[in-house]
Amino acid sequence: GWTQVATATIDGLARTAEFRIEGWDAARPADYRVVASVPLTTGPETFEYRGAIVAEPSSDTPLKVAVFSCNADHGFPDAEVVEHVAVHEPDVAVFLGDQFYEGNGGFGIQRGPLDDAALDMLHKWAMFGWSYRDIYRRIPSAFIPDDHDVYHGNIWGEGGKVAPTEEGWGAVAQDQGGYKMPAEWVNAVQRSQTSHLPDPFDPTPVRQDIGVYYTVWTYGGVSFAILEDRKFKSAPGNVLPAEAQVVNGWIQNPEWDIRQHPDPPGARLLGERQMHFLEDWVEDWSGGAYQKVVLSQTNFAAVHTIPADATSGAVLPGLPMPAPGTYVEGDKLAVDMDSNGWPRARRDEVLRILRRGAAFHIAGDQHLATVVRHGIDEFDDAGFTLSLIHISEPTRPMKESRIPSYSLKKGGGGGGGGGG
């Protein structure tokens, strides 16, 4: 039989119920069910959702992590994803942003009124859940919303300020920093995606009373630092000189060299609060942790390229697809300040902290699967970042698993100083 262990009311905007059970015995597995009574016009109807809480793996065994980001609807409902991820038998799943895009489902965006805008967001969130629910209903998962989750192409949150939209909703608004959508709506997105995470390191809201969720999750001997890359970051157009001609985070003036300006006055990356958090986390090996891993929305480097005559990544969707085995020549490294490679001086401060804990880094956002060995003073004197993305290809059946996974083993994988 079932034993009721918690009840909760459903949040009126996020349509989310949050349960908290203290004193959980993580060594034992348990089946669970969530039961909701919904008042329909025909009378109340009861619905069930079932899953399993697995036993936490021992720190003596590898912890296998399935990594996801950038979930467009091209292959919805992504039926092959669950099948091929299951082959790898992951212990946890991490979803590192852009769980949906503004156009998912083909319905566009509804920005108001507030409740209608929330329903618009929730139908995209429900599509995501339809695709991935059989992954996270049985293994623990962490979610980090990114820019598209809050209806931005790019976002520099500047501590939660308002992004003015009087002159438009696109790059003009984004380049001024902050959030375009109402704070209540942003909080609904965060509640939907992150309310299951451990308590925030410092729960003090940012401007507009927008909540925070950066935190530590220790599981199976691995201490995960979950970051909010974009929330505190400066908008480049607000800290770089006007002569740089910044549009949507891209420098349009070909004569202006960003390499000569590694530390613009007032430029922030993670912000003082998250830097304090990382300083505390990197020294804390409590809870049986033997390995440290950072989860973030994007990489601490820009490793993608664009054509030599391009001034932004806007040209990429219109370029021809290279034939298999073809190496694209003539490109240049992209100075994309949406990445965490900018601002460089602040990025180096982060890498120095992570190096002290030999922390491995897993990131989303890039639409490009990469392994990066960072350098601060020398080519390879800092840690490693793994960026993964799964793109479903429904027109070409997958005969074997193509979803990569990363196993964290005791004593390896770090990448401080001399490598891991």
Side-chain angles (χ1 to χ4, degrees):
W2 293 99
T3 301
Q4 181 173 298
V5 293
T7 60
T9 56
I10 298 176
D11 179 80
L13 193 61
R15 276 73 170 181
T16 301
E18 179 182 340
F19 302 92
R20 189 182 189 105
I21 304 172
E22 301 288 356
W24 182 259
D25 181 4
R28 68 178 182 91
D31 293 329
Y32 69 82
R33 67 174 181 173
V34 180
V35 181
S37 179
V38 180
L40 304 177
T41 57
T42 55
E45 189 169 346
T46 299
F47 296 86
E48 277 193 3
Y49 179 91
R50 296 194 182 199
I53 299 173
V54 297
E56 182 173 347
S58 166
S59 60
D60 294 331
T61 61
L63 187 74
K64 192 175 294 184
V65 182
V67 183
F68 305 86
S69 67
C70 306
N71 178 64
D73 61 352
H74 308 309
F76 177 79
D78 304 302
E80 78 283 4
V81 174
V82 174
E83 175 188 352
H84 291 280
V85 168
V87 171
H88 296 278
E89 300 179 339
D91 299 298
V92 298
V94 295
F95 298 85
L96 301 182
D98 297 339
Q99 275 65 260
F100 52 78
Y101 286 78
E102 296 90 327
N104 279 21
F107 302 106
I109 304 173
Q110 189 162 348
R111 301 187 176 97
L114 180 61
D115 194 63
D116 290 348
L119 289 174
D120 180 66
M121 175 272 293
L122 287 168
H123 96 253
K124 300 174 175 69
W125 181 233
M127 290 177 63
F128 167 85
W130 188 339
S131 294
Y132 293 93
R133 59 186 175 182
D134 285 330
I135 294 174
Y136 59 71
R137 78 159 78 224
R138 291 184 172 86
I139 59 174
S141 305
F143 291 80
I144 305 176
D146 199 10
D147 42 18
H148 291 283
D149 297 293
V150 293
Y151 291 3
H152 276 246
N154 290 326
I155 186 169
W156 298 273
E158 296 209 344
K161 66 179 281 191
V162 176
T165 57
E166 292 82 0
E167 299 180 25
W169 278 82
V172 173
Q174 293 172 174
D175 280 335
Q176 298 179 71
Y179 291 80
K180 296 184 288 186
M181 292 295 287
E184 298 91 337
W185 184 93
V186 174
N187 281 333
V189 172
Q190 293 185 167
R191 182 180 177 90
S192 298
Q193 297 200 22
T194 70
S195 58
H196 67 294
L197 295 177
D199 292 336
F201 178 78
D202 174 3
T204 306
V206 294
R207 284 190 276 185
Q208 299 192 76
D209 204 31
I210 293 174
V212 299
Y213 54 84
Y214 63 94
T215 189
V216 177
W217 175 33
T218 302
Y219 188 79
V222 178
S223 177
F224 294 97
I226 299 173
L227 296 180
E228 302 183 59
D229 319 12
R230 320 287 200 185
K231 185 167 284 179
F232 300 90
K233 188 175 179 179
S234 302
N238 289 342
V239 295
L240 295 180
E243 62 184 288
Q245 301 172 17
V246 175
V247 175
N248 205 26
W250 295 85
I251 295 169
Q252 303 300 297
N253 181 358
E255 304 300 322
W256 198 84
D257 188 355
I258 188 66
R259 292 172 296 182
Q260 304 304 315
H261 304 269
D263 191 10
R268 296 175 181 269
L269 181 55
L270 297 183
E272 292 181 8
R273 289 173 54 179
Q274 286 195 107
M275 293 298 285
H276 174 64
F277 162 62
L278 285 179
E279 291 277 5
D280 182 88
W281 170 75
V282 81
E283 301 292 342
D284 181 7
W285 293 90
S286 62
Y290 67 82
Q291 171 86 47
K292 290 189 176 293
V293 174
V294 174
L295 303 178
S296 75
Q297 295 157 326
T298 194
N299 201 345
F300 290 108
V303 297
H304 45 299
T305 63
I306 57 176
D309 58 351
T311 57
S312 77
V315 301
L316 296 178
L319 296 177
M321 182 68 70
T326 301
Y327 184 84
V328 177
E329 298 183 352
D331 274 13
K332 63 182 179 182
L333 283 172
V335 183
D336 183 1
M337 291 179 286
D338 175 58
S339 80
N340 284 342
W342 182 90
R344 192 181 82 195
R346 304 286 81 78
R347 183 275 311 271
D348 289 350
E349 291 173 357
V350 175
L351 293 181
R352 292 182 195 279
I353 295 174
L354 303 188
R355 184 171 62 181
R356 281 166 32 204
F360 192 79
H361 178 214
I362 305 176
D365 179 60
Q366 294 292 294
H367 295 241
L368 183 68
T370 58
V371 176
V372 172
R373 179 71 188 266
H374 293 282
I376 305 173
D377 301 310
E378 302 292 339
F379 170 71
D380 58 355
D381 65 354
F384 289 89
T385 293
L386 175 72
S387 297
L388 292 181
I389 180 171
H390 164 69
I391 302 175
S392 62
E393 300 178 57
T395 58
R396 186 171 64 188
M398 302 195 332
K399 296 183 179 179
E400 60 183 27
S401 174
R402 297 168 56 215
I403 308 294
S405 61
Y406 181 76
S407 295
L408 301 172
K409 292 187 177 180
K410 193 168 185 175

